[in-house]
């Protein structure tokens, strides 16, 4: 029996995209460094490292030009491989960015034929996912953006996006698929600017849909960091709105190209706050790693990468437990929750409440003089993360 406390188990709901462990290491400056593995081989690799789920774009599994019988054969073989490797398919998505037809966007393209092709392809991906048992449908609009805003008015693009999402919600309901649709924001790359740059932008957009209850978000660490934002804050807003339908875990330094690093590789403290948040609120969706191995790696390195993502998550989960159990940290945190002066709660508005708030006498200078000890709180956090506490 292994005594390793950081081994992945199904209850952790760790998933990887076929495109993540299958990434061959091509970048804008260099050719692939790893041979492409088939979907079945990738499922075997994920089974070997102990993942729970495998996610896919339609064309990670079925080539874009495959006919119906080829498609059905591929899907059958893939399902068998998932069963024999103990993997579930929690999420599917559509690739609306690789094919040159989508070079100026998919749902937001000016050409109505491109928009029709995009919705047609997304419906096909929904059919495929339903066949594989997926309950989450991610939409990432990587090409839904612009280099020159002369190409279309951005509000027209948003209206087209709304039309497509509304249509696909109805399609999901009409076919009994019952997808939870998760919209994934990114500020740029591959387009110079993407119309829906942040998770917060999508939360605003969702409220304008015909079926807002079917639609949530899929925040990604790298995308929020590319925008210079705090991932945990974005996730918290999504959680508060009941919209955290999925999550893409990886890492990214601010101000760099889209790095897709192993979870926790670049900003372990930010990763810690994120894991702590997800565990404390009881997020019970998939923990999906949307990242890939360094270009220096072969398939042993890809396994190191995948195991590392899951292991880091579990280590940080344990650190969060230690953080909560630490007496000095608990005392500091408890102190922060105490009011330093007698004051009425704000609560819901009432005339009486407003009057008592207006009348209460508060010592503003004393409030400004209160010492908060956040230096100590953060240092203790760092000591936990560094393993000396
Ligand atoms: C990226 C995105 C994608 C999406 C994927 C699922 O930066 O390329 O994160 O990996 O998550 O296409 O929709
Ligand atoms: Mn990404
Ligand atoms: Mn992603």
């Amino acid at each position: 029996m292994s005594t390793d406390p950081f081994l992945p188990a199904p209850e952790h709901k760790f998933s990887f995209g076929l495109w993540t462990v299958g990434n061959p290491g091509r970048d804008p400056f260099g050719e692939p460094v790893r041979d492409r593995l088939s979907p079945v081989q990738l499922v075997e690799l994920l089974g070997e490292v102990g993942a729970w789920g495998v996610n896919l774009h339609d064309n990670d599994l079925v080539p874009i030009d495959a006919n119906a019988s080829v498609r059905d054969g591929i899907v059958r073989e893939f399902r068998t491989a998932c069963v024999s490797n103990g993997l579930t398919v929690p999420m599917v998505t559509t690739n609306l960015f690789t094919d040159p037809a989508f070079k100026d966007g998919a749902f937001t393209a000016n050409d109505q034929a491109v928009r029709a092709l995009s919705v047609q392809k997304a419906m096909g991906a929904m059919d495929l996912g339903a066949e594989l048992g997926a309950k989450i449908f991610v939409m990432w609009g990587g090409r839904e953006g612009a280099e020159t805003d002369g190409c279309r008015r951005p509000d027209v693009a948003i209206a087209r996006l709304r039309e497509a999402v509304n249509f696909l919600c109805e399609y999901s309901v009409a076919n009994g698929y019952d997808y939870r649709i998760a919209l994934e924001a990114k500020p740029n790359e591959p387009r110079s600017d993407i119309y829906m740059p942040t998770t917060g932008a999508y939360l605003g957009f969702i409220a304008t849909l015909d079926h807002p209850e079917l639609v949530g978000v899929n925040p990604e660490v790298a995308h929020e960091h590319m925008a210079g934002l705090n991932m945990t804050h974005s996730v918290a807003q999504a959680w508060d709105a009941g919209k955290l339908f999925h999550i893409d875990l990886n890492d990214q330094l601010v101000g760099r190209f889209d790095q897709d690093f192993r979870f926790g590789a670049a900003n372990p403290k930010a990763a810690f706050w994120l894991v702590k948040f997800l565990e404390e609120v009881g997020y019970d969706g998939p923990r999906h790693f949307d990242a890939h191995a360094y270009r220096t790696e072969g398939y042993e390195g890809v396994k190191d990468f995948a195991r590392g993502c899951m292991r880091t998550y579990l280590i940080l989960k344990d650190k969060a437990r230690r953080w909560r159990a630490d007496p000095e940290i608990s005392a500091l945190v408890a102190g922060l929750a105490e009011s330093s002066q007698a004051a009425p709660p704000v609560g819901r508005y009432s005339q009486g409440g407003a009057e008592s708030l207006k009348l209460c006498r508060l010592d503003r200078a004393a409030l400004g003089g209160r010492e908060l000890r956040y230096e100590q709180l953060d240092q203790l956090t760092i000591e936990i993360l560094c393993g000396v506490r």
Side-chain angles (χ1 to χ4, degrees), residues 19 57 93 97 138 140 184 186 220 223 248 258 290:
W19 71 95
H57 299 90
T93 180
F97 44 89
V138 164
W140 171 64
E184 178 178 344
K186 188 177 185 183
E220 172 168 318
H223 299 178
D248 277 6
D258 185 6
D290 187 10

Side-chain angles (χ1 to χ4, degrees), residues 76-127:
R76 219 176 302 121
E77 188 193 23
F78 183 73
R79 268 165 64 165
T80 310
C82 287
V83 171
S84 41
N85 288 280
L87 283 163
T88 180
V89 181
M91 176 275 256
V92 292
T93 180
T94 337
N95 182 330
L96 293 174
F97 44 89
T98 299
D99 194 89
F102 306 117
K103 65 189 173 195
D104 188 30
F107 300 139
T108 64
N110 289 336
D111 188 334
Q112 192 176 313
V114 175
R115 301 205 297 276
L117 176 67
S118 308
V119 174
Q120 179 188 77
K121 198 166 183 299
M123 288 191 287
M126 284 188 156
D127 301 340

Side-chain angles (χ1 to χ4, degrees), residues 225-245:
H225 286 189
M226 285 167 79
L229 300 177
N230 180 316
M231 171 68 169
T232 304
H233 294 189
S234 299
V235 165
Q237 195 194 354
W239 175 260
D240 176 72
K243 294 296 183 195
L244 189 62
F245 286 11

